Amino acid sequence: MKIFIDGKFYRDRAAKISVFDHGLLYGDGIFEGIRAYNGRVFKLKEHIDRLFASAKAILLKLPMTHAELMRATVETCRRNKIRDGYVRLVVTRGIGSLGLNPKGCKRPSVIIIADRIQLYPPEFYQRGLDIITVPTLRNLHGALNPAIKSLNYLNNILAKIEANNGGCEEAVMLNAEGYVAEGTGDNLFIVRNGALATPPPSAGALYGITRQTVIELAQQAGLGVSEPNLTRYDLFNADECFLTGTGAEIVPVVKIDGRVIGSGRPGAITRRLEEDYRALTKISGEPI
Ligand code: PXG
């Protein structure tokens, strides 16, 4: 594998970051998880746009332009002969002192890893997931804003561990007001009376790129889409439920906190959107 770090490519074991990098010391940095399908990088512009938005929010000046980051991502895929794969783009605050003040960090580091994708087991998609609400809450806007895709994922990691301890693959994370925010690494949708609803970013949902794509596909299919505050009650009484994310794509959810959702099987609208999403990934994206 060839890994991009600050403008150069390194082999796996030579690809290293300093122990003084504040990305490691403090989780001070941002990232993107991107997919390539059929020789194209899917929604690359949108991912780089979101990276810039995260950078702005944490006062990190990206050392490369938007166009340079797009080119470097495509080039990393090309050098690794990726047709279908997963790209992790990480920007750390860079090397500084042991103190948390980033003033001494002179240059952020840009890392791009392009690898084969580890797909989720097919059963997840065939049967649908059984998920649970967990105690760990989504970040507060007034603390670490949940729209920032930062390297501080401990909240979500704790929620994932809590889901796993409860025998589930994925968690429903609530916000401090008790409204549904999202999963640990995916957005959540419900279908009710033929229309979609998904928590708004103001409830703690990430501006998910798959989320946005699904909203557009639903609108093209003539389905209504709203972004209301949702409670667990709304999830329990939905006709269908699914999660969206770059890695997971669209995964049906059939049980939440012991309540069977709809028929207990992946729903027709979920299936339709899965198909539309797959079709879109095959034909669009930045050519490698
Ligand atoms: N919410 C959160 C908190 C995320 O981290 C999504 C939603 C979905 O967003 P996109 O833009 O991908 O549709 C994410 C995605 C993983 C993994 O291994 C996924 C994410 C981050 C880290 C790991 O599944 N992010």
Side-chain angles (χ1 to χ4, degrees), residues 37-69:
Y37 294 92
N38 205 20
R40 294 165 188 267
V41 185
F42 189 60
K43 298 279 175 190
L44 179 57
K45 177 187 177 295
E46 288 79 356
H47 281 284
I48 305 297
D49 286 349
R50 188 171 62 185
L51 186 77
F52 270 85
S54 294
K56 181 154 198 182
I58 71 161
L59 294 116
L60 185 152
K61 190 175 175 327
L62 286 165
M64 294 167 69
T65 65
H66 194 288
E68 284 168 349
L69 281 162

mmCIF file of all heavy atoms in Angstrom, residues 37-69:
data_model
loop_
_atom_site.group_PDB
_atom_site.id
_atom_site.type_symbol
_atom_site.label_atom_id
_atom_site.label_comp_id
_atom_site.label_asym_id
_atom_site.label_seq_id
_atom_site.Cartn_x
_atom_site.Cartn_y
_atom_site.Cartn_z
ATOM 1 N N TYR A 37 -16.166 3.563 -5.958
ATOM 2 C CA TYR A 37 -16.961 2.503 -6.592
ATOM 3 C C TYR A 37 -16.634 2.502 -8.070
ATOM 4 O O TYR A 37 -16.629 3.578 -8.699
ATOM 5 C CB TYR A 37 -18.460 2.817 -6.482
ATOM 6 C CG TYR A 37 -19.066 2.821 -5.100
ATOM 7 C CD1 TYR A 37 -19.140 3.998 -4.369
ATOM 8 C CD2 TYR A 37 -19.619 1.660 -4.555
ATOM 9 C CE1 TYR A 37 -19.746 4.017 -3.117
ATOM 10 C CE2 TYR A 37 -20.226 1.685 -3.306
ATOM 11 C CZ TYR A 37 -20.282 2.856 -2.599
ATOM 12 O OH TYR A 37 -20.891 2.878 -1.369
ATOM 13 N N ASN A 38 -16.381 1.321 -8.584
ATOM 14 C CA ASN A 38 -16.306 1.181 -10.032
ATOM 15 C C ASN A 38 -15.334 2.186 -10.679
ATOM 16 O O ASN A 38 -15.630 2.743 -11.732
ATOM 17 C CB ASN A 38 -17.736 1.384 -10.579
ATOM 18 C CG ASN A 38 -17.946 0.716 -11.894
ATOM 19 O OD1 ASN A 38 -17.191 -0.199 -12.269
ATOM 20 N ND2 ASN A 38 -18.948 1.160 -12.643
ATOM 21 N N GLY A 39 -14.200 2.396 -9.993
ATOM 22 C CA GLY A 39 -13.182 3.289 -10.561
ATOM 23 C C GLY A 39 -13.472 4.767 -10.431
ATOM 24 O O GLY A 39 -12.860 5.581 -11.140
ATOM 25 N N ARG A 40 -14.391 5.132 -9.529
ATOM 26 C CA ARG A 40 -14.688 6.551 -9.300
ATOM 27 C C ARG A 40 -14.796 6.824 -7.801
ATOM 28 O O ARG A 40 -15.302 5.988 -7.063
ATOM 29 C CB ARG A 40 -16.035 6.936 -9.911
ATOM 30 C CG ARG A 40 -16.102 6.859 -11.410
ATOM 31 C CD ARG A 40 -17.560 6.895 -11.814
ATOM 32 N NE ARG A 40 -17.729 6.649 -13.227
ATOM 33 C CZ ARG A 40 -17.791 7.609 -14.150
ATOM 34 N NH1 ARG A 40 -17.713 8.861 -13.800
ATOM 35 N NH2 ARG A 40 -17.935 7.295 -15.421
ATOM 36 N N VAL A 41 -14.359 8.017 -7.404
ATOM 37 C CA VAL A 41 -14.479 8.406 -5.996
ATOM 38 C C VAL A 41 -15.828 9.093 -5.807
ATOM 39 O O VAL A 41 -16.084 10.154 -6.370
ATOM 40 C CB VAL A 41 -13.325 9.329 -5.564
ATOM 41 C CG1 VAL A 41 -13.420 9.602 -4.070
ATOM 42 C CG2 VAL A 41 -11.980 8.705 -5.909
ATOM 43 N N PHE A 42 -16.678 8.466 -5.012
ATOM 44 C CA PHE A 42 -18.071 8.898 -4.860
ATOM 45 C C PHE A 42 -18.167 10.145 -3.975
ATOM 46 O O PHE A 42 -17.627 10.174 -2.877
ATOM 47 C CB PHE A 42 -18.873 7.745 -4.254
ATOM 48 C CG PHE A 42 -20.366 7.962 -4.240
ATOM 49 C CD1 PHE A 42 -21.059 8.159 -5.433
ATOM 50 C CD2 PHE A 42 -21.076 7.961 -3.059
ATOM 51 C CE1 PHE A 42 -22.441 8.348 -5.430
ATOM 52 C CE2 PHE A 42 -22.458 8.142 -3.043
ATOM 53 C CZ PHE A 42 -23.133 8.352 -4.235
ATOM 54 N N LYS A 43 -18.854 11.165 -4.487
ATOM 55 C CA LYS A 43 -19.139 12.393 -3.716
ATOM 56 C C LYS A 43 -17.862 13.033 -3.163
ATOM 57 O O LYS A 43 -17.858 13.573 -2.038
ATOM 58 C CB LYS A 43 -20.103 12.081 -2.550
ATOM 59 C CG LYS A 43 -21.455 11.557 -2.999
ATOM 60 C CD LYS A 43 -22.384 12.649 -3.431
ATOM 61 C CE LYS A 43 -23.684 12.117 -3.990
ATOM 62 N NZ LYS A 43 -24.500 13.148 -4.620
ATOM 63 N N LEU A 44 -16.793 12.984 -3.947
ATOM 64 C CA LEU A 44 -15.512 13.508 -3.457
ATOM 65 C C LEU A 44 -15.595 15.002 -3.124
ATOM 66 O O LEU A 44 -15.126 15.434 -2.073
ATOM 67 C CB LEU A 44 -14.396 13.240 -4.478
ATOM 68 C CG LEU A 44 -13.021 13.773 -4.087
ATOM 69 C CD1 LEU A 44 -12.564 13.206 -2.745
ATOM 70 C CD2 LEU A 44 -11.983 13.452 -5.173
ATOM 71 N N LYS A 45 -16.207 15.777 -4.015
ATOM 72 C CA LYS A 45 -16.298 17.220 -3.764
ATOM 73 C C LYS A 45 -17.010 17.494 -2.433
ATOM 74 O O LYS A 45 -16.563 18.312 -1.634
ATOM 75 C CB LYS A 45 -17.038 17.912 -4.915
ATOM 76 C CG LYS A 45 -17.223 19.390 -4.660
ATOM 77 C CD LYS A 45 -18.095 20.077 -5.694
ATOM 78 C CE LYS A 45 -18.298 21.539 -5.329
ATOM 79 N NZ LYS A 45 -19.041 21.727 -4.079
ATOM 80 N N GLU A 46 -18.098 16.756 -2.197
ATOM 81 C CA GLU A 46 -18.870 16.957 -0.967
ATOM 82 C C GLU A 46 -18.041 16.618 0.278
ATOM 83 O O GLU A 46 -18.141 17.289 1.306
ATOM 84 C CB GLU A 46 -20.144 16.096 -0.997
ATOM 85 C CG GLU A 46 -21.216 16.579 -1.967
ATOM 86 C CD GLU A 46 -20.978 16.225 -3.441
ATOM 87 O OE1 GLU A 46 -19.917 15.654 -3.777
ATOM 88 O OE2 GLU A 46 -21.871 16.523 -4.258
ATOM 89 N N HIS A 47 -17.233 15.556 0.180
ATOM 90 C CA HIS A 47 -16.383 15.198 1.322
ATOM 91 C C HIS A 47 -15.330 16.276 1.581
ATOM 92 O O HIS A 47 -15.065 16.618 2.741
ATOM 93 C CB HIS A 47 -15.707 13.843 1.089
ATOM 94 C CG HIS A 47 -16.612 12.682 1.345
ATOM 95 N ND1 HIS A 47 -16.937 12.256 2.612
ATOM 96 C CD2 HIS A 47 -17.279 11.855 0.501
ATOM 97 C CE1 HIS A 47 -17.759 11.224 2.536
ATOM 98 N NE2 HIS A 47 -17.981 10.951 1.263
ATOM 99 N N ILE A 48 -14.737 16.795 0.510
ATOM 100 C CA ILE A 48 -13.705 17.832 0.708
ATOM 101 C C ILE A 48 -14.366 19.125 1.213
ATOM 102 O O ILE A 48 -13.803 19.819 2.062
ATOM 103 C CB ILE A 48 -12.876 18.067 -0.583
ATOM 104 C CG1 ILE A 48 -12.258 16.739 -1.088
ATOM 105 C CG2 ILE A 48 -11.789 19.116 -0.335
ATOM 106 C CD1 ILE A 48 -11.274 16.080 -0.170
ATOM 107 N N ASP A 49 -15.561 19.417 0.726
ATOM 108 C CA ASP A 49 -16.299 20.581 1.253
ATOM 109 C C ASP A 49 -16.496 20.442 2.769
ATOM 110 O O ASP A 49 -16.305 21.395 3.521
ATOM 111 C CB ASP A 49 -17.704 20.672 0.629
ATOM 112 C CG ASP A 49 -17.688 21.164 -0.813
ATOM 113 O OD1 ASP A 49 -16.641 21.639 -1.281
ATOM 114 O OD2 ASP A 49 -18.748 21.054 -1.477
ATOM 115 N N ARG A 50 -16.914 19.231 3.196
ATOM 116 C CA ARG A 50 -17.167 19.028 4.629
ATOM 117 C C ARG A 50 -15.865 19.099 5.426
ATOM 118 O O ARG A 50 -15.842 19.601 6.559
ATOM 119 C CB ARG A 50 -17.888 17.695 4.870
ATOM 120 C CG ARG A 50 -18.338 17.534 6.319
ATOM 121 C CD ARG A 50 -19.238 16.325 6.519
ATOM 122 N NE ARG A 50 -18.562 15.073 6.207
ATOM 123 C CZ ARG A 50 -19.165 13.882 6.204
ATOM 124 N NH1 ARG A 50 -20.458 13.787 6.496
ATOM 125 N NH2 ARG A 50 -18.499 12.785 5.905
ATOM 126 N N LEU A 51 -14.770 18.606 4.832
ATOM 127 C CA LEU A 51 -13.468 18.698 5.500
ATOM 128 C C LEU A 51 -13.117 20.169 5.740
ATOM 129 O O LEU A 51 -12.648 20.533 6.828
ATOM 130 C CB LEU A 51 -12.390 18.027 4.640
ATOM 131 C CG LEU A 51 -11.009 17.925 5.287
ATOM 132 C CD1 LEU A 51 -10.964 16.790 6.308
ATOM 133 C CD2 LEU A 51 -9.923 17.714 4.243
ATOM 134 N N PHE A 52 -13.348 21.010 4.733
ATOM 135 C CA PHE A 52 -13.072 22.445 4.892
ATOM 136 C C PHE A 52 -13.960 23.056 5.975
ATOM 137 O O PHE A 52 -13.514 23.905 6.746
ATOM 138 C CB PHE A 52 -13.244 23.188 3.556
ATOM 139 C CG PHE A 52 -11.960 23.235 2.768
ATOM 140 C CD1 PHE A 52 -11.597 22.184 1.943
ATOM 141 C CD2 PHE A 52 -11.104 24.320 2.879
ATOM 142 C CE1 PHE A 52 -10.391 22.208 1.236
ATOM 143 C CE2 PHE A 52 -9.902 24.357 2.182
ATOM 144 C CZ PHE A 52 -9.549 23.301 1.353
ATOM 145 N N ALA A 53 -15.212 22.608 6.034
ATOM 146 C CA ALA A 53 -16.137 23.140 7.048
ATOM 147 C C ALA A 53 -15.673 22.725 8.448
ATOM 148 O O ALA A 53 -15.702 23.535 9.392
ATOM 149 C CB ALA A 53 -17.554 22.649 6.773
ATOM 150 N N SER A 54 -15.237 21.475 8.598
ATOM 151 C CA SER A 54 -14.709 21.012 9.892
ATOM 152 C C SER A 54 -13.457 21.803 10.267
ATOM 153 O O SER A 54 -13.284 22.214 11.421
ATOM 154 C CB SER A 54 -14.347 19.525 9.829
ATOM 155 O OG SER A 54 -15.487 18.715 9.662
ATOM 156 N N ALA A 55 -12.581 22.031 9.272
ATOM 157 C CA ALA A 55 -11.323 22.757 9.513
ATOM 158 C C ALA A 55 -11.623 24.175 9.995
ATOM 159 O O ALA A 55 -11.015 24.663 10.946
ATOM 160 C CB ALA A 55 -10.481 22.793 8.240
ATOM 161 N N LYS A 56 -12.607 24.805 9.344
ATOM 162 C CA LYS A 56 -12.955 26.164 9.724
ATOM 163 C C LYS A 56 -13.436 26.203 11.168
ATOM 164 O O LYS A 56 -13.054 27.076 11.949
ATOM 165 C CB LYS A 56 -14.049 26.686 8.796
ATOM 166 C CG LYS A 56 -14.447 28.099 9.094
ATOM 167 C CD LYS A 56 -15.002 28.749 7.871
ATOM 168 C CE LYS A 56 -14.985 30.254 8.055
ATOM 169 N NZ LYS A 56 -15.563 30.932 6.899
ATOM 170 N N ALA A 57 -14.268 25.217 11.510
ATOM 171 C CA ALA A 57 -14.847 25.197 12.859
ATOM 172 C C ALA A 57 -13.781 25.016 13.936
ATOM 173 O O ALA A 57 -13.940 25.525 15.044
ATOM 174 C CB ALA A 57 -15.901 24.100 12.960
ATOM 175 N N ILE A 58 -12.707 24.302 13.634
ATOM 176 C CA ILE A 58 -11.662 24.112 14.666
ATOM 177 C C ILE A 58 -10.467 25.037 14.443
ATOM 178 O O ILE A 58 -9.401 24.821 15.027
ATOM 179 C CB ILE A 58 -11.221 22.634 14.815
ATOM 180 C CG1 ILE A 58 -10.413 22.136 13.618
ATOM 181 C CG2 ILE A 58 -12.412 21.704 15.091
ATOM 182 C CD1 ILE A 58 -9.581 20.869 13.932
ATOM 183 N N LEU A 59 -10.625 26.047 13.602
ATOM 184 C CA LEU A 59 -9.560 27.030 13.327
ATOM 185 C C LEU A 59 -8.278 26.351 12.858
ATOM 186 O O LEU A 59 -7.184 26.663 13.329
ATOM 187 C CB LEU A 59 -9.291 27.907 14.561
ATOM 188 C CG LEU A 59 -10.455 28.802 14.925
ATOM 189 C CD1 LEU A 59 -11.023 28.433 16.274
ATOM 190 C CD2 LEU A 59 -10.047 30.264 14.910
ATOM 191 N N LEU A 60 -8.441 25.407 11.970
ATOM 192 C CA LEU A 60 -7.275 24.731 11.390
ATOM 193 C C LEU A 60 -7.162 25.169 9.938
ATOM 194 O O LEU A 60 -8.139 25.077 9.193
ATOM 195 C CB LEU A 60 -7.452 23.209 11.498
ATOM 196 C CG LEU A 60 -6.301 22.330 11.048
ATOM 197 C CD1 LEU A 60 -6.310 21.003 11.826
ATOM 198 C CD2 LEU A 60 -6.336 22.009 9.563
ATOM 199 N N LYS A 61 -5.998 25.684 9.566
ATOM 200 C CA LYS A 61 -5.824 26.145 8.199
ATOM 201 C C LYS A 61 -5.255 24.997 7.382
ATOM 202 O O LYS A 61 -4.121 24.556 7.615
ATOM 203 C CB LYS A 61 -4.876 27.352 8.169
ATOM 204 C CG LYS A 61 -4.874 28.008 6.801
ATOM 205 C CD LYS A 61 -4.043 29.274 6.770
ATOM 206 C CE LYS A 61 -3.956 29.864 5.368
ATOM 207 N NZ LYS A 61 -3.963 28.916 4.247
ATOM 208 N N LEU A 62 -6.072 24.488 6.462
ATOM 209 C CA LEU A 62 -5.613 23.347 5.666
ATOM 210 C C LEU A 62 -4.418 23.765 4.809
ATOM 211 O O LEU A 62 -4.440 24.838 4.202
ATOM 212 C CB LEU A 62 -6.752 22.820 4.784
ATOM 213 C CG LEU A 62 -7.827 22.044 5.551
ATOM 214 C CD1 LEU A 62 -9.081 21.863 4.715
ATOM 215 C CD2 LEU A 62 -7.298 20.696 5.999
ATOM 216 N N PRO A 63 -3.385 22.919 4.776
ATOM 217 C CA PRO A 63 -2.175 23.286 4.039
ATOM 218 C C PRO A 63 -2.286 23.019 2.536
ATOM 219 O O PRO A 63 -1.318 23.215 1.810
ATOM 220 C CB PRO A 63 -1.095 22.399 4.677
ATOM 221 C CG PRO A 63 -1.838 21.197 5.147
ATOM 222 C CD PRO A 63 -3.227 21.646 5.498
ATOM 223 N N MET A 64 -3.443 22.530 2.086
ATOM 224 C CA MET A 64 -3.651 22.267 0.657
ATOM 225 C C MET A 64 -4.979 22.902 0.244
ATOM 226 O O MET A 64 -5.878 23.050 1.069
ATOM 227 C CB MET A 64 -3.709 20.748 0.397
ATOM 228 C CG MET A 64 -2.392 20.029 0.678
ATOM 229 S SD MET A 64 -2.569 18.223 0.744
ATOM 230 C CE MET A 64 -2.930 17.836 -0.968
ATOM 231 N N THR A 65 -5.087 23.228 -1.033
ATOM 232 C CA THR A 65 -6.351 23.794 -1.525
ATOM 233 C C THR A 65 -7.367 22.670 -1.747
ATOM 234 O O THR A 65 -7.017 21.481 -1.744
ATOM 235 C CB THR A 65 -6.144 24.514 -2.871
ATOM 236 O OG1 THR A 65 -5.754 23.525 -3.846
ATOM 237 C CG2 THR A 65 -5.076 25.600 -2.776
ATOM 238 N N HIS A 66 -8.613 23.080 -1.989
ATOM 239 C CA HIS A 66 -9.681 22.124 -2.279
ATOM 240 C C HIS A 66 -9.291 21.254 -3.477
ATOM 241 O O HIS A 66 -9.389 20.017 -3.431
ATOM 242 C CB HIS A 66 -10.969 22.904 -2.555
ATOM 243 C CG HIS A 66 -12.214 22.075 -2.552
ATOM 244 N ND1 HIS A 66 -12.500 21.183 -3.566
ATOM 245 C CD2 HIS A 66 -13.235 21.986 -1.663
ATOM 246 C CE1 HIS A 66 -13.653 20.595 -3.287
ATOM 247 N NE2 HIS A 66 -14.123 21.065 -2.148
ATOM 248 N N ALA A 67 -8.817 21.912 -4.536
ATOM 249 C CA ALA A 67 -8.450 21.177 -5.761
ATOM 250 C C ALA A 67 -7.278 20.232 -5.503
ATOM 251 O O ALA A 67 -7.268 19.090 -5.989
ATOM 252 C CB ALA A 67 -8.098 22.166 -6.875
ATOM 253 N N GLU A 68 -6.314 20.681 -4.707
ATOM 254 C CA GLU A 68 -5.152 19.824 -4.396
ATOM 255 C C GLU A 68 -5.583 18.597 -3.584
ATOM 256 O O GLU A 68 -5.081 17.494 -3.809
ATOM 257 C CB GLU A 68 -4.104 20.617 -3.605
ATOM 258 C CG GLU A 68 -3.312 21.576 -4.472
ATOM 259 C CD GLU A 68 -2.472 22.575 -3.665
ATOM 260 O OE1 GLU A 68 -2.650 22.679 -2.423
ATOM 261 O OE2 GLU A 68 -1.664 23.276 -4.293
ATOM 262 N N LEU A 69 -6.500 18.799 -2.659
ATOM 263 C CA LEU A 69 -6.972 17.666 -1.847
ATOM 264 C C LEU A 69 -7.751 16.674 -2.699
ATOM 265 O O LEU A 69 -7.622 15.458 -2.532
ATOM 266 C CB LEU A 69 -7.817 18.167 -0.674
ATOM 267 C CG LEU A 69 -6.998 18.716 0.498
ATOM 268 C CD1 LEU A 69 -7.848 19.586 1.411
ATOM 269 C CD2 LEU A 69 -6.368 17.570 1.296
#
